[in-house]
Amino acid sequence: MKKIELVDLKAQQDKIGDKIQKAIARVLSHGRYIMGPEVNEFEQKLVDFTGADYAISCASGTDALLLALMSIGVGPGDAVFTTPFTFIATAEVIRLLGAVPVFVDIDSHTFSIDPDKLKKKIQKISTEKQLRPSCIIPVDIFGLPADYPFINKLTDEYGLPIIADGAQSLGSQINDKMACSLTEIATTSFFPAKPLGCYGDGGAVFTKNPELHEKIISMRVHGMGTNKYDNVRIGINGRLDTLQAAILLEKLKIFKGELKQREAIAHKYRSVLGNCVTCQRIPEGYKSSWAQFSFVSIFKTKIKKKLEKYNIPTAVYYPKPLHLQKAFSDLGYKPGDFPVSEAISDSILSVPMHPYLLDDQIDMVTQTIRDGLN
Ligand SMILES: *Cc1c(COP(=O)(O)O)cnc(C)c1O
């Protein structure tokens, strides 16, 4: 049997490698490595794909979050509500700007920020008046959109903008509306292992707001005004490479098909594993992009050992919730503060998930998991 990979980038290359080589060769021949024509073309394709009003490509998913926060002016004294069950980047950028990440525990079934707890935390911070509530960053964990129908209502109620961290969820949907078009601002990542990955770092910000679009375009290139040497605000060097845009244009052409394959594989996993481990709940009307296939089991360690014995790779996203990371020790959180996130971190496991998993490989994974439970 072909070796099972957690994410099989080689299998994708077998399919479109020659097209990607040609795309790279075109960039080498025109030589416009910075903001070449492919960058604009890719942004237009992202708008078409997501239905967002504007897409601004940038250097990484982390820069996308940073640019989004900078564009709405987040800084010292601001509280940014987010989940501790995510990758460090989500909360790191908040701290980088001198604002304070205010964590809210997750829902034990969807692993996304718990909407009721979020509302209570916003009320608490508003009453305490120590910090100014400034925005919310829900995370589309493992590719599943957060509860935007509820969270968007909080925008109306409290006037807080929402930045959806869609690093893992490009291509996912709620009721036929694509991720990254569900909120006023959203971000994604093109890190190689994400559903739509390039061959290096890359990311994008999406918005419905023309003013924010203007600002982000400027901030992406050192806060430029009419040109690069006219600087009207503080920004960063946050551009997407032309080479990466060229690669992404080719990959985007097959992305819809890949999402369908991910969906079919997830369906197979769930139908066999659903009665022996706890899979992520996919609410009615939601479609995940299946960046990861993750499940919860009290026998996680046993299952992991068994899979390793048969050379099947696994991963744990995320072994330590952010409130317990040393980097955030000054925020004063302690074990027990977010019991759901902590319990899920202890019992979650991710198994191979990519569009090129073959039926015998899927059977091998599910059978080994079932054996591991006996
Ligand atoms: C990957 C990821 C990021 C960061 O993206 P990079 O492109 O690696 O900078 C941010 N948030 C989440 C949830 C991620 O999974």
Side-chain angles (χ1 to χ4, degrees):
M1 187 193 300
K2 189 169 177 252
K3 168 141 181 29
I4 303 176
E5 307 283 352
L6 214 48
V7 175
D8 197 341
L9 297 176
K10 201 88 197 126
Q12 190 191 44
Q13 261 189 36
D14 292 343
K15 193 172 165 179
I16 55 164
D18 54 336
K19 294 206 176 82
I20 289 180
Q21 297 279 359
K22 279 187 193 134
I24 292 173
R26 280 196 296 275
V27 176
L28 296 192
S29 87
H30 70 55
R32 293 171 63 190
Y33 303 120
I34 302 293
M35 298 305 283
E38 285 84 355
V39 174
N40 242 312
E41 198 186 324
F42 176 58
E43 288 174 342
Q44 192 48 54
K45 290 273 162 27
L46 279 178
V47 165
D48 298 343
F49 181 81
T50 56
D53 291 299
Y54 303 99
I56 307 109
S57 64
C58 64
S60 68
T62 307
D63 273 0
L65 288 163
L66 185 64
L67 287 164
L69 286 170
M70 285 166 70
S71 75
I72 55 170
V74 168
D78 285 341
V80 179
F81 302 89
T82 191
T83 150
F85 189 67
T86 177
F87 182 58
I88 181 76
T90 313
E92 181 184 33
V93 288
I94 301 169
R95 211 68 190 123
L96 206 54
L97 291 172
V100 177
V102 174
F103 294 119
V104 177
D105 212 351
I106 55 171
D107 176 90
S108 61
H109 305 287
T110 61
F111 315 145
S112 291
I113 198 163
D114 183 316
D116 294 318
K117 288 181 185 155
L118 172 61
K119 187 166 175 176
K120 286 200 184 99
K121 190 58 92 57
I122 296 171
Q123 282 166 343
K124 182 165 179 277
I125 296 287
S126 307
T127 325
E128 283 173 359
K129 296 198 159 59
Q130 303 262 327
L131 292 166
R132 188 174 47 243
S134 82
C135 83
I136 309 166
I137 310 185
V139 175
D140 300 347
I141 197 77
F142 306 138
L144 178 71
D147 187 351
Y148 295 114
F150 184 100
I151 302 170
N152 275 331
K153 283 198 204 118
L154 297 179
T155 295
D156 306 334
E157 215 175 322
Y158 296 93
L160 297 181
I162 297 162
I163 299 172
D165 183 348
Q168 306 177 4
S169 66
L170 193 72
S172 67
Q173 302 177 0
I174 302 180
N175 298 329
D176 298 325
K177 272 201 87 180
M178 299 295 275
C180 297
S181 74
L182 301 165
T183 51
E184 190 186 6
I185 315 168
T187 65
T188 197
S189 163
F190 306 119
F191 180 82
K194 310 280 177 180
L196 182 66
C198 58
Y199 292 150
D201 281 308
V205 189
F206 301 85
T207 182
K208 300 182 197 290
N209 183 324
E211 277 166 44
L212 294 182
H213 171 244
E214 291 286 314
K215 266 195 197 166
I216 295 164
I217 289 276
S218 157
M219 285 172 167
R220 170 175 71 176
V221 186
H222 304 290
M224 71 174 188
T226 50
N227 68 68
K228 198 163 91 163
Y229 302 105
D230 171 36
N231 309 102
V232 298
R233 53 170 68 82
I234 296 299
I236 61 172
N237 175 1
R239 297 168 293 229
L240 179 72
D241 291 342
T242 309
L243 274 173
Q244 301 301 347
I247 292 161
L248 284 162
L249 276 168
E250 290 306 322
K251 290 203 183 196
L252 189 57
K253 287 180 192 160
I254 58 163
F255 188 46
K256 278 217 166 114
E258 289 187 336
L259 287 164
K260 282 207 184 97
Q261 282 163 276
R262 285 179 187 269
E263 177 70 26
I265 293 161
H267 184 77
K268 282 180 196 156
Y269 271 155
R270 289 168 78 89
S271 61
V272 182
L273 296 174
N275 59 1
C276 56
V277 297
T278 308
C279 297
Q280 185 179 21
R281 178 183 294 164
I282 310 297
E284 181 80 32
Y286 283 54
K287 254 192 174 161
S288 176
S289 62
W290 299 108
Q292 307 291 344
F293 190 86
S294 310
F295 57 78
V296 166
S297 169
I298 50 166
F299 302 112
K300 174 195 96 174
T301 311
K302 241 171 103 177
I303 297 172
K304 190 168 182 294
K305 281 210 179 105
K306 191 80 171 186
L307 288 165
E308 275 162 10
K309 193 172 154 202
Y310 288 91
N311 241 338
I312 299 169
T314 61
V316 174
Y317 305 110
Y318 293 93
K320 195 194 274 189
L322 297 189
H323 66 289
L324 302 179
Q325 294 286 357
K326 189 175 168 201
F328 293 128
S329 54
D330 63 320
L331 298 177
Y333 289 107
K334 56 184 189 313
D337 282 346
F338 302 108
V340 181
S341 297
E342 291 168 33
I344 301 290
S345 285
D346 282 342
S347 56
I348 198 147
L349 191 68
S350 300
V351 295
M353 171 49 90
H354 60 78
Y356 304 98
L357 273 176
L358 305 169
D359 278 340
D360 61 337
Q361 294 179 313
I362 298 165
D363 291 344
M364 172 87 182
V365 174
T366 52
Q367 195 50 50
T368 311
I369 292 169
R370 295 184 72 96
D371 290 350
L373 286 164
N374 292 321

